[in-house]
Amino acid sequence: MKYVNAEKMLPEKLLRSIQEYTQGSYLYIPIREEDKKQWGECTESKQILRERNESIVQAYRSGSSVKTLALHYYLTEHSIRRIIRGQR
């Protein structure tokens, strides 16, 4: 997140109005609800994790142990079990 000086961005009247509530502090302005994106929507992260999880399940069904999969994918055994349960 990048900070922007409000004097450079907001109209003077709006800035003065905001200063009635707070001044000299950082103010976070959240994104509008209708503009929010779901996690992974802007990157390929969601697809990469889906493919990884499918590989984990396939390897498990082919006989790989939970312990072996955990070591191979650098995850805990608990995480591997959770992924396997989620794909049933």
Side-chain angles (χ1 to χ4, degrees), residues 4-83:
V4 177
N5 187 332
E7 285 182 319
K8 294 179 181 179
M9 178 172 265
L10 302 176
E12 186 176 344
K13 187 175 180 181
L14 178 57
L15 179 60
R16 300 293 169 239
S17 182
I18 292 170
Q19 286 173 326
E20 290 180 26
Y21 297 93
T22 183
Q23 53 184 322
S25 63
Y26 294 112
L27 180 65
Y28 171 75
I29 300 173
I31 192 165
R32 291 181 298 218
E33 200 62 39
E34 63 269 15
D35 293 335
K36 285 186 178 180
K37 294 182 177 10
Q38 291 187 357
W39 179 85
E41 195 173 337
C42 296
T43 65
E44 294 179 10
S45 300
K46 207 175 209 178
Q47 180 62 27
I48 291 168
L49 290 178
R50 186 181 299 117
E51 291 171 4
R52 179 205 66 184
N53 292 351
E54 288 171 0
S55 295
I56 289 171
V57 171
Q58 186 176 26
Y60 178 76
R61 289 179 180 158
S62 297
S64 294
S65 71
V66 170
K67 185 175 188 117
T68 301
L69 292 169
L71 291 171
H72 178 75
Y73 288 96
Y74 302 99
L75 296 170
T76 64
E77 291 180 30
H78 177 77
S79 294
I80 297 294
R81 287 188 193 95
R82 182 176 34 79
I83 291 166

